[in-house]
Amino acid sequence: APDCTNAIKVERKNRKEAVICKCGFHWCFQCADFEIGDHMPATCENVENWRQKASDESENVKWLLANTKKCPQCRKPIEKNGGCMHMTCRTTSGGCGFEFCWLCRGDWKDHGAHTGGYYSCNKYDASGAKSDDTKAAQIKTELEAYMFYYHRYEAHHNAMKIADEQRKNADTKANSILEKFSVRAQDTNFLKEAAEQLINNRRVLNNSYIYGYYKAASPEKNLFEYLQEDLEKHTNYLSEIYEKNLSTIANYQQFMKWKEEVTNYTRVTAGFLKKFVEGVMGGLTNQE
């Protein structure tokens, strides 16, 4: 890692698991590229091919992707400024109040475990965002398929950056909590724990779209997408509840309820991450 002087020795050749330095940096021992770090579940070859492709098509990517998206209902441009994929077209900014998913632009009521809806954002053929494209009825091209994976790769990459900022700002948020609710210092530890979990989840989800792009259609890919969907769904919900504005928490009882929800969901998402990583590394359909 940059500015780190530690050295690491591993006992197994061709180690697949990421190496974690004492400085906290996660990285792949095989390719040892600090700019990429840990790229699980994508292989070193996947990452190299992906980087080359992104470089070759960078101008197309810049042209096709925008920094804003239009509200599916009123068409007002909206900028994403948080890690959660739950978007609201704010009436205070001249919008219509419609709530939708940043990734597929579908109605939010059809998303997330807490609503009981079906979360389909990580499946290309089910993407409702294609309705905005004048070529929706045409056969999807290689570039369109690539753009599907690239957009989700970028969404999780940016969300990971936001989670990293949240981790850095956890102490400031903790001080605000201590001042407002007069709780014990240890009652704020969940903030860093949740931010760390979000970073780990986003890192794996980010690279899972590289892996998915190069994975041929098969029963194993279907299972991979099922596990990816679960991890993505629960990570997005953790991000949403973590970003709760402290001004909306009126008293100590409400704080403790929020703390318990974030803590429990941090544990839940850690379980889904573990299941996803073990599934991919174990060969998915080859597991007993």
Side-chain angles (χ1 to χ4, degrees), residues 84-101:
C84 180
M85 302 304 169
H86 182 186
M87 306 299 295
T88 301
C89 185
R90 300 291 182 189
T91 55
T92 53
S93 302
C96 63
F98 183 64
E99 297 182 34
F100 63 98
C101 170

Side-chain angles (χ1 to χ4, degrees), residues 160-175:
M160 183 171 65
K161 290 181 180 179
I162 292 169
D164 188 49
E165 286 300 313
Q166 290 169 336
R167 177 179 58 181
K168 293 175 182 177
N169 296 328
D171 287 338
T172 301
K173 193 170 186 177
N175 288 334

Side-chain angles (χ1 to χ4, degrees), residues 244-281:
K244 186 179 182 71
N245 195 314
L246 292 180
S247 65
T248 65
I249 305 176
N251 51 50
Y252 173 81
Q253 288 73 22
Q254 289 184 14
F255 164 74
M256 292 303 291
K257 183 179 179 180
W258 172 61
K259 172 187 175 250
E260 183 179 1
E261 185 179 20
V262 173
T263 300
N264 289 340
Y265 229 82
T266 298
R267 190 179 304 113
V268 167
T269 58
F272 278 100
L273 178 63
K274 183 174 183 290
K275 184 166 68 172
F276 180 77
V277 171
E278 288 178 349
V280 174
M281 294 191 69

Side-chain angles (χ1 to χ4, degrees), residues 186-244:
Q186 54 263 44
D187 285 328
T188 64
N189 290 342
F190 75 99
L191 294 172
K192 281 189 177 179
E193 292 169 0
E196 288 282 358
Q197 192 61 52
L198 284 169
I199 291 169
N200 291 337
N201 287 17
R202 294 298 185 188
R203 181 191 301 112
V204 171
L205 283 167
N206 171 52
N207 291 302
S208 74
Y209 280 98
I210 300 178
Y211 178 88
Y213 177 72
Y214 291 105
K215 188 75 174 174
S218 65
E220 184 168 300
K221 184 171 183 177
N222 293 338
L223 180 55
F224 162 78
E225 289 181 339
Y226 173 79
L227 295 173
Q228 183 190 48
E229 177 184 313
D230 267 350
L231 178 60
E232 193 167 49
K233 174 174 59 179
H234 292 291
T235 299
N236 286 340
Y237 185 60
L238 175 59
S239 180
E240 180 176 3
I241 60 176
Y242 180 86
E243 293 173 7
K244 186 179 182 71

Side-chain angles (χ1 to χ4, degrees), residues 10-281:
V10 297
E11 301 300 327
R12 288 185 290 113
K13 187 178 180 180
N14 298 325
R15 174 190 172 104
K16 291 183 178 180
E17 303 92 334
V19 173
I20 305 176
C21 180
K22 289 182 179 179
C23 71
F25 186 64
H26 296 232
W27 53 289
C28 171
F29 195 80
Q30 292 189 54
C31 61
D33 189 332
F34 77 86
E35 291 184 356
I36 294 295
D38 176 17
H39 52 71
M40 166 67 194
T43 65
C44 298
E45 183 181 6
N46 286 161
V47 172
E48 181 60 31
N49 291 338
W50 179 267
R51 294 175 76 181
Q52 184 61 49
K53 189 173 185 65
S55 175
D56 292 344
E57 299 178 358
S58 60
E59 293 306 313
N60 286 330
V61 171
K62 290 177 183 177
W63 182 75
L64 290 170
L65 286 179
N67 293 323
T68 62
K69 291 184 183 293
K70 292 182 179 179
C71 169
Q73 187 159 289
C74 71
R75 314 303 294 168
K76 183 178 178 62
I78 295 174
E79 183 179 6
K80 186 173 183 290
N81 59 5
C84 180
M85 302 304 169
H86 182 186
M87 306 299 295
T88 301
C89 185
R90 300 291 182 189
T91 55
T92 53
S93 302
C96 63
F98 183 64
E99 297 182 34
F100 63 98
C101 170
W102 174 259
L103 292 179
C104 75
R105 281 158 280 173
D107 195 323
W108 186 255
K109 68 183 180 183
D110 298 326
H111 293 70
H114 57 298
T115 62
Y118 180 69
Y119 197 89
S120 60
C121 283
N122 71 331
K123 296 187 177 180
Y124 179 61
D125 292 334
S127 177
K130 289 296 177 182
S131 61
D132 288 339
D133 195 324
T134 57
K135 298 185 290 185
Q138 300 178 7
I139 297 175
K140 295 178 178 69
T141 63
E142 156 63 21
L143 179 57
E144 288 174 323
Y146 169 67
M147 288 306 301
F148 169 84
Y149 287 95
Y150 185 87
H151 174 54
R152 282 149 182 79
Y153 166 86
E154 278 290 291
H156 286 297
H157 183 71
N158 292 332
M160 183 171 65
K161 290 181 180 179
I162 292 169
D164 188 49
E165 286 300 313
Q166 290 169 336
R167 177 179 58 181
K168 293 175 182 177
N169 296 328
D171 287 338
T172 301
K173 193 170 186 177
N175 288 334
S176 298
I177 290 172
L178 291 172
E179 182 178 342
K180 183 174 182 179
F181 303 110
S182 300
V183 296
R184 300 171 302 170
Q186 54 263 44
D187 285 328
T188 64
N189 290 342
F190 75 99
L191 294 172
K192 281 189 177 179
E193 292 169 0
E196 288 282 358
Q197 192 61 52
L198 284 169
I199 291 169
N200 291 337
N201 287 17
R202 294 298 185 188
R203 181 191 301 112
V204 171
L205 283 167
N206 171 52
N207 291 302
S208 74
Y209 280 98
I210 300 178
Y211 178 88
Y213 177 72
Y214 291 105
K215 188 75 174 174
S218 65
E220 184 168 300
K221 184 171 183 177
N222 293 338
L223 180 55
F224 162 78
E225 289 181 339
Y226 173 79
L227 295 173
Q228 183 190 48
E229 177 184 313
D230 267 350
L231 178 60
E232 193 167 49
K233 174 174 59 179
H234 292 291
T235 299
N236 286 340
Y237 185 60
L238 175 59
S239 180
E240 180 176 3
I241 60 176
Y242 180 86
E243 293 173 7
K244 186 179 182 71
N245 195 314
L246 292 180
S247 65
T248 65
I249 305 176
N251 51 50
Y252 173 81
Q253 288 73 22
Q254 289 184 14
F255 164 74
M256 292 303 291
K257 183 179 179 180
W258 172 61
K259 172 187 175 250
E260 183 179 1
E261 185 179 20
V262 173
T263 300
N264 289 340
Y265 229 82
T266 298
R267 190 179 304 113
V268 167
T269 58
F272 278 100
L273 178 63
K274 183 174 183 290
K275 184 166 68 172
F276 180 77
V277 171
E278 288 178 349
V280 174
M281 294 191 69

